[in-house]
Amino acid sequence: VQLQASGGGLVQAGGSLRLSCAASGASVRTFQNSIMGWFRQAPGRERERVGGINWNGDRTYYTDSVKGRFTISRDNAENTVYLQMYSVKPEDTAVYYCAVGPSLSSIMYWGQGTQVTVSS
């Protein structure tokens, strides 16, 4: 499975950014049974979960620090997951990774990461 993330960049605090991650190389059944999610890793810190979404899109998870500011969605026809970031803060600066797995605790596939930098 290949995960291609895009959309990172430099944004001012309070601004918005949308990340995309296109998945390929697996059967539809694999994606139907998987959570698609986002993690991030800031310099000097451990990788942390940002959030995830199930196949139907009716269950989502967000870490507390992004609740109300970030939204995860997916387009199953395109095998793509999105992370819409609103009201970004300097502490959101990190490399963002998309991921696929049975759950956010058991990731099987990782994307290559895309840098998000929020200036104050």
Side-chain angles (χ1 to χ4, degrees):
V1 175
Q2 293 80 44
L3 301 176
Q4 183 66 46
S6 61
L10 176 65
V11 59
Q12 288 189 331
S16 301
L17 201 64
R18 190 176 82 155
L19 307 183
S20 302
C21 178
S24 62
S27 67
V28 172
R29 187 179 183 86
T30 296
F31 292 121
Q32 286 178 331
N33 294 327
S34 297
I35 301 295
M36 298 186 77
W38 292 92
F39 290 69
R40 66 185 180 185
Q41 187 167 20
R45 303 189 66 175
E46 293 186 355
R47 188 175 298 187
E48 66 168 346
R49 299 175 191 176
V50 175
I53 187 168
N54 68 338
W55 169 262
N56 292 328
D58 59 353
R59 286 190 291 125
T60 54
Y61 161 84
Y62 298 96
T63 193
D64 286 345
S65 61
V66 308
K67 283 180 181 177
R69 298 189 300 118
F70 290 8
T71 301
I72 294 177
S73 61
R74 64 190 289 172
D75 181 341
N76 291 332
E78 299 292 332
N79 286 333
T80 299
V81 63
Y82 302 97
L83 179 66
Q84 179 68 57
M85 307 165 64
Y86 297 103
S87 302
V88 295
K89 304 174 181 181
E91 51 264 43
D92 294 322
T93 295
V95 177
Y96 283 71
Y97 298 90
C98 59
V100 173
S103 72
L104 292 180
S105 300
S106 56
I107 294 300
M108 296 180 64
Y109 307 104
W110 292 95
Q112 84 285 6
T114 184
Q115 176 72 46
V116 172
T117 303
V118 182
S119 62
S120 57

